[in-house]
Amino acid sequence: MEVTLWGTRGSFPRIGGGTSGYGGNTTCIEVRTDAGDIIIIDAGTGIRDLGKKLQKSQQGGKCALFFTHRHWDHVHGLTSFDLLYNPEWNISIFGPQLEFESWSHTICTIFNTCYFPLSWKDIGHRHKVEDFRVGDSFNVGTALIETCACSHPNGCVSYKITADGWTFFFSGDHEWETASPAEQEALEKFMGSADVILADAHFSNEDYPACKGWGHSNMNQWVEHVLKTKVQRVVFTHHHPDYTDTMLEKCVADIWRAHPDLPLRTILAREGLCITKETETHPLDVVLPATYCPMCDFSRKISRYADPGLILGSVLTEARSLGQADAGTIYLLESDDKLAFSYAQNETLFPGSAANRMTYLNSTIPKNEQSIAGYVAISGITLNILDVYRLPVHVPYTFNDSFDKSTGYRTVSVLAVPLIGSNNKTVGVLQLINSLKNGKPSAFTADAQHHLEQLAITAADSIERSRLSNELLVRMLETSSLRDPTETANHVMRVGAMAAEVYNCWAEKHDIPIEELRTTKDTLRLAAMLHDVGKVGVSDLILKKPGKLTTEEFFEMQKHCAMGASLFKEPTSLMDIMARNIALHHHQKWNGKGYTGDSSVPPLSGTDIPLEARITAIADVYDALVSTRCYKSPMPVEVALEIIQKESGAHFDPEVVDTFMEIKDVIRAIHDRFSE
Ligand code: C2E
Ligand code: SIN
Ligand code: SIN
Ligand code: FE
Ligand code: FE
């Protein structure tokens, strides 16, 4: 069985206005069993193209057309359904007994010559029209069709179709909030056995309250009820005619921001989408353990992150809380003989977010037995030191007091554990400083040591994994889109890091909850690294042209946005949505004078441009300004900052410019870290 969507809009068809991605035709669904039975649900304007396709693909035959209810947007395509006029076709039409008239009466009214040139009398003899009771079941060929009431002004019916080993559910028009608890429970039970549900999510979460009682739901309400069932795939449909593609994607992105753990696949219905039985589960699926286990909780949390900075930060925060440590540092092995000082937290010296800058510090120590971290890295054993200024005489390592000297900090106790990854390879060292008891530095307990050694296993694993995936991504970008020989992998690292840090600062100012901030920051970094992937589709002649582009060449170049976006068509995760938004919109301008390289996606302005794209735009342009390109030489940082500032309110979102300027020190650290 295959389900194809021919219409995904609700209320009224919509042409243009940024809706071309998900389509403008009203509800029409084609269900086709493997045996060739054809079942159509609703006759919105999508039925026109479906009729044409069926006429082309087969000489004649029969099909069953089921209606959910009588509202215009579910019936107003009927007169343009060509099969009705073709003598080789027989259509059986079924509709639920709701209030008012019979379905033959409805159909005769639609084909009343005062509204339409043909009368049902002229064509109806080849077809049949039947009413059924809500709750009835039928067989059409090899398919079983079941029905259940849903909540909508004057009634509506939902369908469940089972054939070829799987079950599809379509809600019809349905409003969860106006259904009684018993009705809700009945519908949950009914849809609970489906593999995929197609759901009326007409309104955004913001617009819903003002339209309560209109007979439609929002995505959040569906998620809430679907989570009570075993259903794992939800396709949202009946899109509001005023909602642009971007707005719809924002609605899905909001769900993922609020519930990064959602054990569901969320898919936006678009015209032409073909739904089949799929067995794969979403990569973000989480299996909850039977009992609460803090260490499992922690592993699960960091296993979701891909961003090395985020992983190191979470590891260090967790480790410090296990050991009640005032400070901590992570060293990562950079080459066979060097350890890089990779992340540091120190509550006394730099409380709060100043630690972000430390992520991009670029200092290393030799990997040898003379330092505490070096000794741990080489020996693979834990050191639990009571006082670093009173080391036993026979040990090879000494304490490097230069940090204490320059800051006035007094390091006393140190607990340093090796981070050992796969193949027993040391990836780094996790070092905690000054276990505080009643505010005073004291020894790390044996318990703390034991817990930290356990945590180190998970940490090493996550660090290795994130390094691998980052390297893979960068290598892919190097071979695919970065064909301009002057544009290096460091450019994408910088743009990703700058975008992530600008978001971090912006989100803190907007009181975004910490988990949401982390998830978004993490995803944004990777998604921003991919902003120019669409350049893979631009000719080398243009991409590597040493001089200025002609108008025609620049026009071709602009297509890189749309081409990049087309790589992330199905928005099934926050990563897909962000990568798509950034690729498509990173050359939009705040004043509406930017481009997407796709004439069907109009220029957006102001906050209509997704935040992640507004942020990436600044990072991308700033980096282009201070870098060498085949067509330009670099400019000094000060000049670049002036240009960014001058474009505030024109090219760029003023608030994002202010945020960028606030973290100039982090921006500089990023530049030093990823320099050519
Ligand atoms: P890109 O090199 O990554 O540049 C990204 C954006 O940075 C540009 O977007 C532009 O907004 C800004 N930018 C870069 N250099 C300058 C500059 O010297 N002054 C100012 N004020 N802004 C600058 P834009 O213009 O939409 O270009 C998109 C892409 O098209 C560029 O990506 C580059 O790959 C290509 N491109 C643009 N102009 C030329 C050109 O004259 N010659 C060649 N060969 N390629 C060009
Ligand atoms: C529809 O969306 O089905 C028509 C309008 C309405 O139901 O209120
Ligand atoms: C409706 O479908 O009930 C009306 C929604 C709208 O178009 O505002
Ligand atoms: Fe670009
Ligand atoms: Fe770029």
Side-chain angles (χ1 to χ4, degrees), residues 484 487 491 531-532 535 541-550 554 557-558 560 586-587 589 595 617 620-625 629-633 635 643 647 651-652:
D484 173 345
E487 206 169 332
H491 164 63
H531 68 278
D532 270 341
K535 281 187 179 171
L541 292 176
I542 296 176
L543 209 60
K544 296 185 179 173
K545 181 173 172 179
K548 202 157 171 42
L549 300 178
T550 64
F554 191 54
M557 179 55 118
Q558 293 185 353
H560 80 275
H586 75 279
H587 288 295
K589 294 187 178 176
Y595 60 84
D620 183 35
V621 171
Y622 174 79
D623 203 68
L625 293 176
R629 287 281 194 279
C630 59
Y631 64 95
K632 60 171 281 293
S633 36
M635 32 175 98
I643 292 180
E647 288 293 326
H651 189 157
F652 305 122

Side-chain angles (χ1 to χ4, degrees), residues 458-601:
T458 306
D461 196 59
S462 290
I463 290 165
E464 259 192 333
R465 183 179 46 77
S466 88
R467 286 188 141 188
L468 273 178
S469 60
N470 259 276
E471 275 165 23
L472 200 67
L473 185 67
V474 168
R475 229 175 297 145
M476 272 166 44
L477 285 170
E478 270 179 334
T479 52
S480 64
S481 55
L482 297 177
R483 287 175 296 137
D484 173 345
T486 57
E487 206 169 332
T488 61
N490 277 330
H491 164 63
V492 296
M493 299 296 285
R494 287 192 300 261
V495 172
M498 288 192 285
E501 297 307 334
V502 170
Y503 170 77
N504 189 93
C505 181
W506 182 95
E508 277 173 357
K509 287 198 280 186
H510 284 254
D511 292 325
I512 304 294
I514 187 70
E515 252 325 290
E516 184 186 331
L517 183 155
R518 288 187 181 143
T519 313
T520 308
K521 177 180 180 183
D522 184 39
T523 311
L524 178 55
R525 177 195 305 261
L526 290 181
M529 285 168 71
L530 294 165
H531 68 278
D532 270 341
V533 282
K535 281 187 179 171
V536 66
V538 176
S539 147
D540 266 356
L541 292 176
I542 296 176
L543 209 60
K544 296 185 179 173
K545 181 173 172 179
K548 202 157 171 42
L549 300 178
T550 64
T551 314
E552 292 74 33
E553 286 167 341
F554 191 54
F555 182 76
E556 283 307 305
M557 179 55 118
Q558 293 185 353
K559 292 183 185 159
H560 80 275
C561 301
M563 283 190 285
S566 68
L567 297 173
F568 309 98
K569 264 247 162 64
E570 303 278 323
T572 55
S573 68
L574 187 58
M575 175 67 194
D576 289 348
I577 292 167
M578 276 207 174
R580 182 171 184 278
N581 281 344
I582 290 174
L584 189 61
H585 298 297
H586 75 279
H587 288 295
Q588 297 275 20
K589 294 187 178 176
W590 182 255
N591 61 13
K593 295 190 175 152
Y595 60 84
T596 61
D598 175 350
S599 55
S600 71
V601 184

